[in-house]
Amino acid sequence: MSYAVRNLIAETWSDADGEQSVPVWNPSLGIELTQTPLQGPAIVDRAAEAAAAAFPSWSATPPLERARLFFRFHELLKRDFEQLAQLVSLENGKTLDEARGEVQRGMEVVEFACGGPSLLMGQCLENVAGHLDGKTIRQPLGVCAGISPFNFPVMVPMWIFPIALVCGNTFILKPSERVPLAAQRLAELLLEAGLPPGVFNLVHGGREVVEALATHPQIAAISFVGSSAVARDVYQLATSHNKRCQAGGGAKNFTVVLPDADPQAVARAVIGSSFGCAGQRCMASSVLVGVGARITKHLDCLNELTAAVKVGRTDIVGETEMGPVVSPEAQSRIQAAIDHAEAGGGTVTVDGRGTQVADAPGGFFVGPTIIEHAPPETNLLQQEVFGPVLAVERVDQLEEAIQLANRSQFGNGAVIFTSNGNAAREFASRVNCGMVGINVGVPAPTALFPFNGWHGSFFGDLHMQGSEGVQFFTQQKVILSRWENFGHRNQGW
Ligand code: NAD
């Protein structure tokens, strides 16, 4: 099978081209599927030109007609659901079930976009003053661009482009250079659904292409998702070039366990959260704070079930519960973070370093890992590791757990497990982040809600998904009208 990495400009596909390139791996086997060329700014000029040319006609297309296109796109996503999930699993390494979940989450945003026209409606008030009527309308911004990370090759692009397009914008997507293939398939399906040429364009590359997008005079808005340092830089670059920008960054998500929670249920939920997608999720729980002396039985149960997680290749159907990480660099970085925490005095209670998978000796595997008492100076409590590593801390009171979580520079998610409603309410109210789970391991909002990072996990104002997405991709206009003394007179009515 060919895995050529191609740009889509208007309706024309062309091979991506650049002096340097980045490997796209099958992480299960550690073999290269293809290479993503790191292109220069010229490709952005071409894409922006095509998107700008398509804007007048697409923005004038009735919103219901634009929405109808997404009904057709949704049908194609249903038709090719398994193929898309397999592609995600192949290039990213997550299990097929995880990939199916990701495609499903993306499709839910498309469902939301199908109802977009209602959210585009403005407001009006008759007679705001004598014979004066006021109304607001929402208009698209122009050419918008999306830049996505490796960990959700389908879902993160779909957080962005269905809403941008249904609002009447034209679009350029720059997927992660590490997982370009599934995004390419989405572009093919958009064309098959009947999207006019130039409304959606796809370009590949890395930093140079991102900087060209963030500074391009024909581009009005940038949606970025990736690590915090890059998110901050892209936000500053785009806004200093007078663009709207929303930029999701990294995370350090705290999970607080009170002793009244069921140990088995907690262990299953924490394993799903910390080790699902090999820990490569911005909503993964990466620090567990156990409260009180009776928490030992929860931790024992967690250690036991974690040690039994089946790590294996995900590119064939099997019993694998957790796949590889995305690249050899990620594997080395994660193992080094564990070494560092252990050398600093942490106790590794479940050790995923050096995990070998018999039928995939070259795969980038790191097994699920739990470390107690990781010293603060090793940064396991404050920096994002972005792998299957869970730090465990013990405190005496809920108050200390909240204070620990609130020291984080990030602000994506936090979770509490308890059967005490009062404690859950206190935690949800006081924890300093934008997405909270109460007995929910991964409180990632579905399409109707904003994906709501705070602090170092998000730069901007309006978040992705839901009605905030519609607000981000439109600008309001207020129209005041008065016809008294200006309308035709004496028409006989
Ligand atoms: P990354 O920051 O390396 O890359 C993200 C995008 O930015 C890619 O398209 C990449 O080409 C581009 N990029 C990389 N370096 C750049 C630079 N120096 N200048 C300009 N552009 C650059 O992130 P990743 O490793 O692909 O993804 C993992 C990160 O994404 C994690 O930190 C994770 O927490 C975060 N993430 C956040 C959310 C969220 O909603 N907040 C969701 C998913 C992932």
Side-chain angles (χ1 to χ4, degrees):
M1 185 169 178
S2 153
Y3 295 114
V5 175
R6 294 177 304 158
N7 303 303
L8 173 66
I9 307 288
E11 77 267 66
T12 306
W13 289 97
S14 62
D15 286 340
D17 175 25
E19 275 173 25
Q20 291 178 317
S21 57
V22 171
V24 179
W25 298 101
N26 168 344
S28 286
L29 298 183
I31 57 170
E32 222 177 87
L33 296 169
T34 186
Q35 295 258 341
T36 303
L38 298 177
Q39 304 186 101
I43 193 68
V44 174
D45 288 337
R46 288 175 50 209
E49 203 58 55
F55 179 70
S57 142
W58 179 246
S59 57
T61 302
L64 285 170
E65 217 173 290
R66 295 199 298 254
R68 246 171 249 140
L69 195 132
F70 283 94
F71 281 104
R72 290 198 291 278
F73 182 52
H74 190 265
E75 284 303 308
L76 298 177
L77 292 169
K78 274 202 294 198
R79 183 195 72 190
D80 289 356
F81 184 85
E82 279 300 309
Q83 184 203 47
L84 270 169
Q86 279 165 14
L87 207 45
V88 166
S89 171
L90 180 69
E91 65 180 347
N92 170 282
K94 61 181 69 177
T95 67
L96 194 54
D97 273 348
E98 289 166 346
R100 288 185 182 121
E102 155 165 11
V103 177
Q104 180 59 39
R105 279 299 186 94
M107 286 172 69
E108 287 166 9
V109 183
V110 177
E111 288 157 17
F112 175 85
C114 289
S118 318
L119 288 165
L120 286 170
M121 289 169 68
Q123 296 181 307
C124 70
L125 184 63
E126 187 183 35
N127 251 356
V128 287
H131 293 275
L132 186 70
D133 300 331
K135 71 174 178 182
T136 60
I137 59 172
R138 290 203 160 271
Q139 294 188 320
L141 305 176
V143 179
C144 300
I147 298 152
S148 51
F150 81 84
N151 63 325
F152 283 100
V154 158
M155 184 186 78
V156 169
M158 289 217 283
W159 279 354
I160 305 168
F161 73 74
I163 299 180
L165 294 178
V166 86
C167 289
N169 301 286
T170 55
F171 199 81
I172 305 169
L173 175 67
K174 205 279 315 160
S176 165
E177 60 275 36
R178 285 179 270 172
V179 292
L181 302 173
Q184 219 159 268
R185 186 70 195 122
L186 293 178
E188 288 169 355
L189 294 180
L190 281 168
L191 287 186
E192 190 180 341
L195 199 70
V199 173
F200 180 91
N201 306 275
L202 180 74
V203 298
H204 295 283
R207 179 179 189 153
E208 248 194 290
V209 169
V210 172
E211 289 179 352
L213 290 166
T215 54
H216 200 284
Q218 281 175 298
I219 296 177
I222 298 285
S223 279
F224 174 92
V225 181
S227 53
S228 284
V230 181
R232 189 188 304 106
D233 287 353
V234 170
Y235 180 79
Q236 286 171 353
L237 191 62
T239 52
S240 71
H241 284 78
N242 299 323
K243 299 182 197 320
R244 266 186 202 195
C245 186
Q246 51 179 194
K252 192 89 224 172
N253 303 310
F254 284 67
T255 290
V256 172
V257 183
L258 298 191
D260 58 12
D262 176 69
Q264 289 269 342
V266 168
R268 281 195 300 273
V270 170
I271 288 170
S273 173
S274 302
F275 309 128
C277 297
Q280 300 169 120
R281 279 197 294 222
C282 68
M283 290 297 282
S285 163
S286 46
V287 182
L288 183 153
V289 187
V291 179
R294 284 189 295 127
I295 209 68
T296 298
K297 72 169 182 276
H298 296 75
L299 298 179
D300 289 346
C301 179
L302 176 64
N303 285 330
E304 190 188 322
L305 295 187
T306 299
V309 169
K310 294 192 188 81
V311 179
R313 59 191 285 193
T314 52
D315 60 334
I316 52 169
V317 178
E319 294 185 341
T320 295
E321 292 168 331
M322 194 188 116
V325 297
V326 71
S327 65
E329 294 79 18
Q331 183 188 35
S332 310
R333 178 180 46 76
I334 295 162
Q335 300 200 135
I338 303 169
D339 290 345
H340 192 223
E342 187 181 42
T347 310
V348 181
T349 57
V350 183
D351 194 348
R353 289 170 293 187
T355 294
Q356 291 293 321
V357 171
D359 58 348
F364 311 136
F365 296 99
V366 182
T369 299
I370 299 180
I371 307 176
E372 272 208 48
H373 316 300
E377 65 275 15
T378 61
N379 272 333
L380 220 59
L381 301 182
Q382 294 300 331
Q383 299 300 325
E384 185 177 48
V385 175
F386 218 55
V389 182
L390 177 67
V392 170
E393 293 292 306
R394 295 173 191 244
V395 296
D396 294 326
Q397 302 290 333
L398 175 60
E399 179 61 33
E400 292 168 77
I402 294 174
Q403 284 179 16
L404 200 57
N406 285 352
R407 281 205 282 274
S408 172
Q409 61 177 307
F410 299 103
N412 246 14
V415 168
I416 188 166
F417 288 101
T418 180
S419 54
N420 181 327
N422 214 20
R425 184 174 179 277
E426 170 86 3
F427 178 79
S429 169
R430 290 186 45 215
V431 75
N432 232 336
C433 69
M435 295 172 273
V436 176
I438 298 173
N439 299 324
V440 172
V442 186
T446 52
L448 297 164
F449 292 94
F451 199 90
N452 209 43
W454 284 9
H455 308 307
S457 294
F458 183 77
F459 304 89
D461 173 14
L462 297 165
H463 295 84
M464 282 145 218
Q465 292 195 149
S467 56
E468 285 199 27
V470 174
Q471 288 170 43
F472 179 79
F473 283 116
T474 52
Q475 52 197 343
Q476 282 201 100
K477 188 176 276 180
V478 183
I479 302 173
L480 293 177
S481 57
R482 174 178 280 141
W483 293 102
E484 188 198 24
N485 302 328
F486 290 90
H488 291 296
R489 296 166 200 233
N490 302 326
Q491 304 247 328
W493 43 260

